[in-house]
Amino acid sequence: MSNYFLKEISHFLGRTTPERGRPIGYSLLIRALLEERDRVVPVPERLAISTEKQTRYDSGSWQVFPSQYRPKDNLISHVVFALKYEGLDLLILKETFKLTGPDPVRDLLEKEPTGKYSRRIWFLYEWLLDDKIEVAEPKAGNYVDVLDPRHQYPGPSRNSTRHRVRNNLPGTVEFCPLIFRTEKLEEYGKAGLVDLAERTIEGRDNDLIRRAAAFLLLRDSKASFEIEGEYPPEMRARNWSRAIGQAGRRPLSLGELERLQDIVIGSSKLRNMGLREREGFIGEHDRRTLSPIPDHISARAKDLPSLMRGLLETDKLLQESDYDPVLAAATIAFGFVFIHPFADGNGRIHRYLVHHILARSGYSKMPFAFPVSAAIQSKIVEYQDVLETFSEPRLDLIEWETDPGHNVRIVNETADLYRYFDLTPQAEFLYECIEETVTRVIPEELAYLEKYDRLFGVISGVASLPNTKADLLIKLLIQNRGKLSQRKRIEHFEELNPEAVKAIEDSYRDIFLEVP
């Protein structure tokens, strides 16, 4: 018997356990992969151990179980435990099945031909490895879910008559991130953010709403560029805001993504549009050796056709179901940016995809897109953290060398790192941005326009200024906290006498600086 079944631990891959105990479930499978195949995989957020104490409890990133929960000393029993208590980790399961081969699955089916865990494991083995096990198919037994909805959010059900299971995985074999149920996500799901957004504009003037929509789209476009450290010409930002405004109208396809890349980058600025033909990374180069110093390594170029096909098929699967639109948007948008299929433009298209999926799903009946990039920009540190939550653990798992062009050359198989991963942190972050948009960004824009209109009316009553000059006056007052400098008055507003200026300044303070 292998030592990893018996050995107690107090530390595991840099984590301290709450007390000494034996690894069980995924923690045991990870140890087996390390010792048997020298295979390292991303470690789940929560793991499990068993102890001799008769107490079951959770402690941060550990679930602690009494000894009677401990599985038998074979890998397939630990797979059963993981499915029962820890949810699905498709990457660890796939690597474990590669290690065990089909025999333990066949043995389990012979012992428990109608068992719900034996059938789930049988389906997952054949689905993940595309390897059919020669075994008698059950003729009876109720259908069971492949993914336990108590642990993770399920996709639409598709019956597999061979295994007598309902395939409710929220993706395809080529791309299937999973999202755990958390208290935060459950609360967001019940919060009625869409209703709150719609109540925000209820009863407001249609022209005001139309102007707010235009301002918010342009603001979102500029924010998306600024997140990338770019400050584009006004026309380029407006072209991108126009594209955002049309989100959801065209089906998502590789051709559509390439069209968006052309808008956001411009074909004249990038030699090779469309899917990358070379590897890619985000980061810097060493100043002395010019070797890459990556913060994120993109999927291998040769894996892009499969990964993008999986992403687009998963988008179609989720769009045609009642899957939570925000979770669907997180799945496709973050999946896209982690794959990083293009040489440039990935970040802005990633944020566009949030607009696209929310609009396509009819998430809100509001007459404008949620300005999510503006909310992301206000949470830029948290945004960077949530991107690194995916990228950082994978850097140690990707073997690469420097090519003659000072780029990375990936030398190991990495596609599954981008197919199967825990998307929970990204889903929570996106919901936070939706909440920020609904409770702050949209109301602030509407309130600003209402105040602007009130002050514009005051200016029209005390002076005869063209609309453009009245607009300039308001912007200058905003910049200078309600004061118009003598130089600006002489330069732009000679027609305003001191009494008119004072009346406008007083009105500004009453309108813009009023305490709600």
Side-chain angles (χ1 to χ4, degrees), residues 80 105 434:
V80 172
V105 180
I434 298 293

Side-chain angles (χ1 to χ4, degrees), residues 247-396:
R249 298 182 188 179
R250 299 169 180 254
L252 202 58
S253 65
L254 187 56
E256 172 65 1
L257 292 170
E258 290 173 349
R259 182 187 75 87
L260 294 167
Q261 187 194 30
D262 185 69
I263 295 172
V264 78
I265 299 297
S267 54
S268 62
K269 297 195 174 189
L270 194 63
R271 186 185 309 168
N272 298 312
M273 301 293 282
L275 295 183
R276 287 182 287 107
E277 297 178 357
R278 302 175 61 226
E279 315 300 15
F281 76 98
I282 299 171
E284 301 177 350
H285 289 89
D286 183 275
R287 283 185 290 179
R288 185 176 60 85
T289 65
L290 300 182
S291 295
I293 307 175
D295 296 318
H296 172 85
I297 296 179
S298 309
R300 289 189 309 176
K302 77 173 207 173
D303 296 328
L304 293 177
S306 169
L307 289 168
M308 291 305 295
R309 182 170 57 247
L311 182 139
L312 293 170
E313 289 176 355
T314 294
D315 170 68
K316 188 172 185 292
L317 176 76
L318 298 181
Q319 287 288 314
E320 293 175 352
S321 73
D322 60 355
Y323 198 70
D324 182 309
V326 177
L327 302 187
T331 298
I332 302 305
F334 280 99
F336 177 89
V337 82
F338 293 151
I339 294 169
H340 233 68
F342 298 151
D344 200 1
N346 296 285
R348 280 147 290 185
I349 296 172
H350 144 70
R351 290 181 289 276
Y352 167 92
L353 288 172
V354 175
H355 293 289
H356 171 84
I357 292 165
L358 293 182
R360 188 92 184 270
S361 66
Y363 178 68
S364 169
K365 295 181 176 61
M366 294 178 68
F368 51 83
F370 280 77
V372 175
S373 293
I376 290 175
Q377 190 179 33
S378 72
K379 295 175 170 289
I380 194 65
V381 174
E382 295 96 322
Y383 181 54
Q384 291 167 345
D385 287 344
V386 87
L387 294 175
E388 289 174 6
T389 297
F390 174 89
S391 300
E392 189 173 338
R394 282 157 177 76
L395 288 176
D396 292 335

